[in-house]
Amino acid sequence: MKEYNKKQMALEYPQEKKAEVQDDFAKSIKPLAELLDSLRHMESFPIGKDEDILALSDPPYYTACPNPYFNDFIERYGKPYDPERDDYHRTPFVGDISEGKNDPIYNAHSYHTKVPHKAIRKFIEHYTKEGDIVFDGFCGSGMTGVAAQLSNRRAVLVDLSPAATFIAYNYNTPVDIAEFEKEANRILEEIEKECGWMYETLHTDGKTRGRINYTVWSDVFICPYCHNEYVFWHAAVGKEKGKVLKEFSCPECRAEITKTQCERAKVNFYDQAIGQEITQAKQVPVLINYSVGKKRFEKEPDKFDLDLIQKIEESTIPYWFPTNRMPEGDESRRNDRLGVTHVHHFYTYRTLWVLSYFNIKIKNIKSHKNLFTWLLTASCLVHTKMYSFRENRKGGIIKGTLYISSLYQENMTLRFLKDKVRLFKRIYNNNRKKLMISAQDAESVYNIPNSSIDYIFTDPPFGDNLMYSELNFLWEAWLKVFTNNQKEAIVNNAQNKGLSEYKELMTACFREMFRILKPNRWMTVVFHNSKASVWNAIQDAITKAGFVIAQVTVMDKQQGSFKQVTSAG
């Protein structure tokens, strides 16, 4: 992990009055448990047990279901609209915005799409003044909230996904970082004692013990000519140039072949977690990157390593981990052909063991429990088989997909957790205001009063570019609360939603935003899609809702998701 200047990394939130930090807002509301029954009729009410929804929530500020406290919050902190005294006037924001993603706040937790908070902040400060309330109906990871706090504004954030709102909540909640670090170090020590042996390896001298940083796994294919199995890594990775070759020789018959010409080798085994016999694509470890002291080395797995992996896989993990079947959908079912059909199949057995143990250890924590769960979700994707190995040793996940590469990198989970704790220590402080965050659809913010919001900044779904509820399923399986996608504004075959359904849902959302926005105020919409039909749908939805499009500008996030990068326009 790169070393950053602490001044550059600190979340310098504006100071607030002590009385405001310790206000009695939370004490004045009715318990969420008593209100759940009155919220169930909403089509966006999440899928999960009441106990899990309540455990994830921090009412009134965050509810992992529709938030019944919005009106109370706005009554307390908002400024009522008075048409006779209203003197608001702002011209459209002029100028293109370019903000990169190489920022420690931005990178604290991944999400499929993010608008950098520094870019959002420029819009917020142009269109609002201190103390105003900003709304985001598709908040994702909560960058609008971060930008609002940095500008000394308040925010109301909404997203259909419990995972997204949980990420947003932890980005925007006060933290006693000293207490968190102390507890985190204690837990990490216990994980080291429980699971450290799983990451040991022998140095090439055959005596010295090293610590594994990551292990590269390779698919095994069958040559179409000689019908022998070959390890993709050995055949296709050019050792001299360090690149994965598109065309290569079969190690057995020397025929020139490509991966697409070959069938995958398969293995059958009994999956104890789901009590079924399953068939998966055959994968074998081919490279271990490890450290001895401060020096790094690489080697092919030897007998010690293979025996260790076998020992782990033949054991029974004694802790809970998610075993949910991946939901219907082109993205969520894309790995069925590999035999990766359930959530736990996305992990190696070793990684699953460590994550499940960490999850158990944080269940009984009294302080900052949600932040520890956030640390778990921050680890969920980077430790899946979706983390592709790259020849430059800078692997990563292809954002916006659940793609599993033929060469994936199994990262050392404990080291990642330690690095994240150090990062959290640098970016968090206790000067944040608590924002209002809700897991619900933007079409039904029924208890936000008319003409009560000062500005809207939102980044809505891009038609058929990203399947959010499918992508978020891996996070939500650990949280045990899932997106109810009936109101998901998306073009999706599995949900029987085409462009007309998408347009209808987006129109309904924008109408609700028009209702809650004060007259003559502004909404900024970030949108990307290469299809003219989708562009027309979103613009038509905005105008049908009552808005007038006054300015179009360019926001360069400098690095898009896979589908954004590979799509023109």
Side-chain angles (χ1 to χ4, degrees), residues 537-562:
I538 196 75
Q539 292 185 70
D540 196 29
I542 290 171
T543 54
K544 278 187 174 181
F547 290 100
V548 175
I549 298 176
Q551 177 78 17
V552 178
T553 187
V554 174
M555 177 178 286
D556 180 11
K557 294 190 282 186
Q558 298 185 9
Q559 180 185 355
S561 69
F562 173 76

PDB file of all heavy atoms in Angstrom, residues 537-562:
ATOM      1  N   ALA A 537     -34.217   8.226 -23.401  1.00  0.00           N
ATOM      2  CA  ALA A 537     -35.135   7.803 -22.341  1.00  0.00           C
ATOM      3  C   ALA A 537     -34.897   8.600 -21.064  1.00  0.00           C
ATOM      4  O   ALA A 537     -35.848   9.052 -20.412  1.00  0.00           O
ATOM      5  CB  ALA A 537     -34.977   6.310 -22.082  1.00  0.00           C
ATOM      6  N   ILE A 538     -33.624   8.779 -20.691  1.00  0.00           N
ATOM      7  CA  ILE A 538     -33.330   9.478 -19.440  1.00  0.00           C
ATOM      8  C   ILE A 538     -33.677  10.969 -19.567  1.00  0.00           C
ATOM      9  O   ILE A 538     -34.228  11.585 -18.643  1.00  0.00           O
ATOM     10  CB  ILE A 538     -31.856   9.276 -19.015  1.00  0.00           C
ATOM     11  CG1 ILE A 538     -31.664   9.658 -17.539  1.00  0.00           C
ATOM     12  CG2 ILE A 538     -30.896  10.079 -19.870  1.00  0.00           C
ATOM     13  CD1 ILE A 538     -32.197   8.653 -16.579  1.00  0.00           C
ATOM     14  N   GLN A 539     -33.403  11.570 -20.727  1.00  0.00           N
ATOM     15  CA  GLN A 539     -33.739  12.983 -20.916  1.00  0.00           C
ATOM     16  C   GLN A 539     -35.256  13.189 -20.941  1.00  0.00           C
ATOM     17  O   GLN A 539     -35.774  14.161 -20.384  1.00  0.00           O
ATOM     18  CB  GLN A 539     -33.118  13.509 -22.207  1.00  0.00           C
ATOM     19  CG  GLN A 539     -31.593  13.580 -22.148  1.00  0.00           C
ATOM     20  CD  GLN A 539     -30.992  14.217 -23.381  1.00  0.00           C
ATOM     21  OE1 GLN A 539     -31.134  15.420 -23.599  1.00  0.00           O
ATOM     22  NE2 GLN A 539     -30.317  13.421 -24.188  1.00  0.00           N
ATOM     23  N   ASP A 540     -35.965  12.258 -21.583  1.00  0.00           N
ATOM     24  CA  ASP A 540     -37.422  12.352 -21.622  1.00  0.00           C
ATOM     25  C   ASP A 540     -38.009  12.200 -20.222  1.00  0.00           C
ATOM     26  O   ASP A 540     -38.974  12.896 -19.856  1.00  0.00           O
ATOM     27  CB  ASP A 540     -37.966  11.273 -22.560  1.00  0.00           C
ATOM     28  CG  ASP A 540     -39.416  11.534 -22.960  1.00  0.00           C
ATOM     29  OD1 ASP A 540     -39.804  12.716 -23.004  1.00  0.00           O
ATOM     30  OD2 ASP A 540     -40.145  10.561 -23.225  1.00  0.00           O
ATOM     31  N   ALA A 541     -37.426  11.281 -19.423  1.00  0.00           N
ATOM     32  CA  ALA A 541     -37.893  11.075 -18.048  1.00  0.00           C
ATOM     33  C   ALA A 541     -37.703  12.346 -17.221  1.00  0.00           C
ATOM     34  O   ALA A 541     -38.570  12.727 -16.423  1.00  0.00           O
ATOM     35  CB  ALA A 541     -37.149   9.906 -17.410  1.00  0.00           C
ATOM     36  N   ILE A 542     -36.581  13.018 -17.399  1.00  0.00           N
ATOM     37  CA  ILE A 542     -36.293  14.239 -16.646  1.00  0.00           C
ATOM     38  C   ILE A 542     -37.289  15.340 -16.998  1.00  0.00           C
ATOM     39  O   ILE A 542     -37.848  16.015 -16.113  1.00  0.00           O
ATOM     40  CB  ILE A 542     -34.847  14.707 -16.921  1.00  0.00           C
ATOM     41  CG1 ILE A 542     -33.845  13.728 -16.280  1.00  0.00           C
ATOM     42  CG2 ILE A 542     -34.613  16.114 -16.384  1.00  0.00           C
ATOM     43  CD1 ILE A 542     -32.400  13.988 -16.667  1.00  0.00           C
ATOM     44  N   THR A 543     -37.538  15.529 -18.288  1.00  0.00           N
ATOM     45  CA  THR A 543     -38.435  16.605 -18.700  1.00  0.00           C
ATOM     46  C   THR A 543     -39.890  16.291 -18.355  1.00  0.00           C
ATOM     47  O   THR A 543     -40.661  17.183 -17.981  1.00  0.00           O
ATOM     48  CB  THR A 543     -38.295  16.871 -20.208  1.00  0.00           C
ATOM     49  OG1 THR A 543     -38.488  15.651 -20.932  1.00  0.00           O
ATOM     50  CG2 THR A 543     -36.921  17.426 -20.531  1.00  0.00           C
ATOM     51  N   LYS A 544     -40.297  15.011 -18.469  1.00  0.00           N
ATOM     52  CA  LYS A 544     -41.657  14.638 -18.104  1.00  0.00           C
ATOM     53  C   LYS A 544     -41.920  14.855 -16.613  1.00  0.00           C
ATOM     54  O   LYS A 544     -43.051  15.109 -16.201  1.00  0.00           O
ATOM     55  CB  LYS A 544     -41.926  13.177 -18.460  1.00  0.00           C
ATOM     56  CG  LYS A 544     -42.293  12.953 -19.911  1.00  0.00           C
ATOM     57  CD  LYS A 544     -42.714  11.513 -20.151  1.00  0.00           C
ATOM     58  CE  LYS A 544     -43.220  11.336 -21.579  1.00  0.00           C
ATOM     59  NZ  LYS A 544     -43.670   9.945 -21.829  1.00  0.00           N
ATOM     60  N   ALA A 545     -40.871  14.765 -15.814  1.00  0.00           N
ATOM     61  CA  ALA A 545     -41.009  14.971 -14.370  1.00  0.00           C
ATOM     62  C   ALA A 545     -41.206  16.443 -14.020  1.00  0.00           C
ATOM     63  O   ALA A 545     -41.593  16.769 -12.891  1.00  0.00           O
ATOM     64  CB  ALA A 545     -39.787  14.421 -13.646  1.00  0.00           C
ATOM     65  N   GLY A 546     -40.919  17.342 -14.972  1.00  0.00           N
ATOM     66  CA  GLY A 546     -41.115  18.766 -14.719  1.00  0.00           C
ATOM     67  C   GLY A 546     -39.855  19.602 -14.790  1.00  0.00           C
ATOM     68  O   GLY A 546     -39.908  20.837 -14.751  1.00  0.00           O
ATOM     69  N   PHE A 547     -38.692  18.942 -14.894  1.00  0.00           N
ATOM     70  CA  PHE A 547     -37.430  19.679 -14.934  1.00  0.00           C
ATOM     71  C   PHE A 547     -37.168  20.256 -16.334  1.00  0.00           C
ATOM     72  O   PHE A 547     -37.669  19.744 -17.337  1.00  0.00           O
ATOM     73  CB  PHE A 547     -36.267  18.759 -14.559  1.00  0.00           C
ATOM     74  CG  PHE A 547     -36.237  18.354 -13.114  1.00  0.00           C
ATOM     75  CD1 PHE A 547     -36.711  17.111 -12.709  1.00  0.00           C
ATOM     76  CD2 PHE A 547     -35.747  19.218 -12.146  1.00  0.00           C
ATOM     77  CE1 PHE A 547     -36.680  16.730 -11.381  1.00  0.00           C
ATOM     78  CE2 PHE A 547     -35.706  18.844 -10.807  1.00  0.00           C
ATOM     79  CZ  PHE A 547     -36.186  17.603 -10.423  1.00  0.00           C
ATOM     80  N   VAL A 548     -36.361  21.299 -16.364  1.00  0.00           N
ATOM     81  CA  VAL A 548     -35.870  21.875 -17.613  1.00  0.00           C
ATOM     82  C   VAL A 548     -34.355  21.672 -17.641  1.00  0.00           C
ATOM     83  O   VAL A 548     -33.654  22.069 -16.700  1.00  0.00           O
ATOM     84  CB  VAL A 548     -36.206  23.373 -17.711  1.00  0.00           C
ATOM     85  CG1 VAL A 548     -35.581  23.967 -18.969  1.00  0.00           C
ATOM     86  CG2 VAL A 548     -37.708  23.588 -17.707  1.00  0.00           C
ATOM     87  N   ILE A 549     -33.860  21.036 -18.701  1.00  0.00           N
ATOM     88  CA  ILE A 549     -32.410  20.799 -18.813  1.00  0.00           C
ATOM     89  C   ILE A 549     -31.751  22.095 -19.265  1.00  0.00           C
ATOM     90  O   ILE A 549     -31.959  22.563 -20.386  1.00  0.00           O
ATOM     91  CB  ILE A 549     -32.106  19.658 -19.798  1.00  0.00           C
ATOM     92  CG1 ILE A 549     -32.739  18.356 -19.288  1.00  0.00           C
ATOM     93  CG2 ILE A 549     -30.597  19.488 -19.967  1.00  0.00           C
ATOM     94  CD1 ILE A 549     -32.597  17.169 -20.223  1.00  0.00           C
ATOM     95  N   ALA A 550     -30.951  22.677 -18.390  1.00  0.00           N
ATOM     96  CA  ALA A 550     -30.395  24.005 -18.650  1.00  0.00           C
ATOM     97  C   ALA A 550     -28.921  23.979 -19.030  1.00  0.00           C
ATOM     98  O   ALA A 550     -28.425  24.938 -19.622  1.00  0.00           O
ATOM     99  CB  ALA A 550     -30.575  24.890 -17.409  1.00  0.00           C
ATOM    100  N   GLN A 551     -28.223  22.917 -18.692  1.00  0.00           N
ATOM    101  CA  GLN A 551     -26.782  22.893 -18.948  1.00  0.00           C
ATOM    102  C   GLN A 551     -26.310  21.451 -19.079  1.00  0.00           C
ATOM    103  O   GLN A 551     -26.717  20.583 -18.296  1.00  0.00           O
ATOM    104  CB  GLN A 551     -26.028  23.587 -17.798  1.00  0.00           C
ATOM    105  CG  GLN A 551     -24.511  23.567 -17.931  1.00  0.00           C
ATOM    106  CD  GLN A 551     -24.012  24.600 -18.930  1.00  0.00           C
ATOM    107  OE1 GLN A 551     -24.739  25.517 -19.292  1.00  0.00           O
ATOM    108  NE2 GLN A 551     -22.784  24.445 -19.392  1.00  0.00           N
ATOM    109  N   VAL A 552     -25.462  21.185 -20.065  1.00  0.00           N
ATOM    110  CA  VAL A 552     -24.824  19.875 -20.213  1.00  0.00           C
ATOM    111  C   VAL A 552     -23.327  20.091 -20.177  1.00  0.00           C
ATOM    112  O   VAL A 552     -22.795  20.923 -20.907  1.00  0.00           O
ATOM    113  CB  VAL A 552     -25.224  19.194 -21.536  1.00  0.00           C
ATOM    114  CG1 VAL A 552     -24.486  17.861 -21.672  1.00  0.00           C
ATOM    115  CG2 VAL A 552     -26.727  18.967 -21.596  1.00  0.00           C
ATOM    116  N   THR A 553     -22.649  19.366 -19.309  1.00  0.00           N
ATOM    117  CA  THR A 553     -21.207  19.510 -19.173  1.00  0.00           C
ATOM    118  C   THR A 553     -20.576  18.133 -19.098  1.00  0.00           C
ATOM    119  O   THR A 553     -21.277  17.122 -19.096  1.00  0.00           O
ATOM    120  CB  THR A 553     -20.861  20.337 -17.905  1.00  0.00           C
ATOM    121  OG1 THR A 553     -19.455  20.600 -17.876  1.00  0.00           O
ATOM    122  CG2 THR A 553     -21.252  19.581 -16.644  1.00  0.00           C
ATOM    123  N   VAL A 554     -19.276  18.069 -19.058  1.00  0.00           N
ATOM    124  CA  VAL A 554     -18.549  16.796 -19.051  1.00  0.00           C
ATOM    125  C   VAL A 554     -17.900  16.586 -17.696  1.00  0.00           C
ATOM    126  O   VAL A 554     -17.217  17.479 -17.194  1.00  0.00           O
ATOM    127  CB  VAL A 554     -17.471  16.762 -20.153  1.00  0.00           C
ATOM    128  CG1 VAL A 554     -16.638  15.483 -20.032  1.00  0.00           C
ATOM    129  CG2 VAL A 554     -18.104  16.843 -21.522  1.00  0.00           C
ATOM    130  N   MET A 555     -18.136  15.434 -17.095  1.00  0.00           N
ATOM    131  CA  MET A 555     -17.438  15.044 -15.880  1.00  0.00           C
ATOM    132  C   MET A 555     -16.545  13.869 -16.216  1.00  0.00           C
ATOM    133  O   MET A 555     -17.019  12.780 -16.555  1.00  0.00           O
ATOM    134  CB  MET A 555     -18.405  14.653 -14.760  1.00  0.00           C
ATOM    135  CG  MET A 555     -17.685  14.161 -13.505  1.00  0.00           C
ATOM    136  SD  MET A 555     -18.812  13.761 -12.163  1.00  0.00           S
ATOM    137  CE  MET A 555     -19.280  15.411 -11.657  1.00  0.00           C
ATOM    138  N   ASP A 556     -15.251  14.067 -16.143  1.00  0.00           N
ATOM    139  CA  ASP A 556     -14.281  13.017 -16.454  1.00  0.00           C
ATOM    140  C   ASP A 556     -13.826  12.374 -15.154  1.00  0.00           C
ATOM    141  O   ASP A 556     -13.075  12.967 -14.390  1.00  0.00           O
ATOM    142  CB  ASP A 556     -13.082  13.616 -17.197  1.00  0.00           C
ATOM    143  CG  ASP A 556     -12.029  12.570 -17.547  1.00  0.00           C
ATOM    144  OD1 ASP A 556     -12.328  11.359 -17.395  1.00  0.00           O
ATOM    145  OD2 ASP A 556     -10.928  12.951 -17.958  1.00  0.00           O
ATOM    146  N   LYS A 557     -14.292  11.126 -14.902  1.00  0.00           N
ATOM    147  CA  LYS A 557     -13.890  10.396 -13.696  1.00  0.00           C
ATOM    148  C   LYS A 557     -12.546   9.693 -13.903  1.00  0.00           C
ATOM    149  O   LYS A 557     -12.048   9.008 -13.023  1.00  0.00           O
ATOM    150  CB  LYS A 557     -14.970   9.387 -13.305  1.00  0.00           C
ATOM    151  CG  LYS A 557     -16.275  10.034 -12.875  1.00  0.00           C
ATOM    152  CD  LYS A 557     -17.236   9.040 -12.266  1.00  0.00           C
ATOM    153  CE  LYS A 557     -17.934   8.219 -13.313  1.00  0.00           C
ATOM    154  NZ  LYS A 557     -18.979   7.342 -12.741  1.00  0.00           N
ATOM    155  N   GLN A 558     -11.984   9.843 -15.115  1.00  0.00           N
ATOM    156  CA  GLN A 558     -10.644   9.376 -15.473  1.00  0.00           C
ATOM    157  C   GLN A 558     -10.495   7.866 -15.547  1.00  0.00           C
ATOM    158  O   GLN A 558      -9.568   7.359 -16.129  1.00  0.00           O
ATOM    159  CB  GLN A 558      -9.580   9.960 -14.531  1.00  0.00           C
ATOM    160  CG  GLN A 558      -9.514  11.484 -14.598  1.00  0.00           C
ATOM    161  CD  GLN A 558      -8.388  12.051 -13.762  1.00  0.00           C
ATOM    162  OE1 GLN A 558      -7.537  11.317 -13.255  1.00  0.00           O
ATOM    163  NE2 GLN A 558      -8.350  13.354 -13.611  1.00  0.00           N
ATOM    164  N   GLN A 559     -11.415   7.118 -14.977  1.00  0.00           N
ATOM    165  CA  GLN A 559     -11.367   5.667 -15.081  1.00  0.00           C
ATOM    166  C   GLN A 559     -12.764   5.118 -14.870  1.00  0.00           C
ATOM    167  O   GLN A 559     -13.329   5.230 -13.796  1.00  0.00           O
ATOM    168  CB  GLN A 559     -10.416   5.051 -14.046  1.00  0.00           C
ATOM    169  CG  GLN A 559     -10.354   3.534 -14.146  1.00  0.00           C
ATOM    170  CD  GLN A 559      -9.502   2.937 -13.050  1.00  0.00           C
ATOM    171  OE1 GLN A 559      -8.896   3.657 -12.271  1.00  0.00           O
ATOM    172  NE2 GLN A 559      -9.442   1.630 -12.990  1.00  0.00           N
ATOM    173  N   GLY A 560     -13.349   4.544 -15.901  1.00  0.00           N
ATOM    174  CA  GLY A 560     -14.699   4.028 -15.801  1.00  0.00           C
ATOM    175  C   GLY A 560     -14.721   2.558 -15.465  1.00  0.00           C
ATOM    176  O   GLY A 560     -13.687   1.911 -15.316  1.00  0.00           O
ATOM    177  N   SER A 561     -15.933   2.031 -15.346  1.00  0.00           N
ATOM    178  CA  SER A 561     -16.083   0.594 -15.179  1.00  0.00           C
ATOM    179  C   SER A 561     -15.752  -0.088 -16.491  1.00  0.00           C
ATOM    180  O   SER A 561     -15.559   0.555 -17.523  1.00  0.00           O
ATOM    181  CB  SER A 561     -17.533   0.266 -14.774  1.00  0.00           C
ATOM    182  OG  SER A 561     -18.407   0.531 -15.860  1.00  0.00           O
ATOM    183  N   PHE A 562     -15.692  -1.406 -16.497  1.00  0.00           N
ATOM    184  CA  PHE A 562     -15.364  -2.171 -17.688  1.00  0.00           C
ATOM    185  C   PHE A 562     -16.313  -1.822 -18.829  1.00  0.00           C
ATOM    186  O   PHE A 562     -15.902  -1.581 -19.957  1.00  0.00           O
ATOM    187  CB  PHE A 562     -15.433  -3.672 -17.384  1.00  0.00           C
ATOM    188  CG  PHE A 562     -15.264  -4.546 -18.596  1.00  0.00           C
ATOM    189  CD1 PHE A 562     -14.030  -4.736 -19.163  1.00  0.00           C
ATOM    190  CD2 PHE A 562     -16.364  -5.177 -19.167  1.00  0.00           C
ATOM    191  CE1 PHE A 562     -13.869  -5.539 -20.280  1.00  0.00           C
ATOM    192  CE2 PHE A 562     -16.225  -5.976 -20.280  1.00  0.00           C
ATOM    193  CZ  PHE A 562     -14.975  -6.169 -20.838  1.00  0.00           C
TER     194      PHE A 562
END
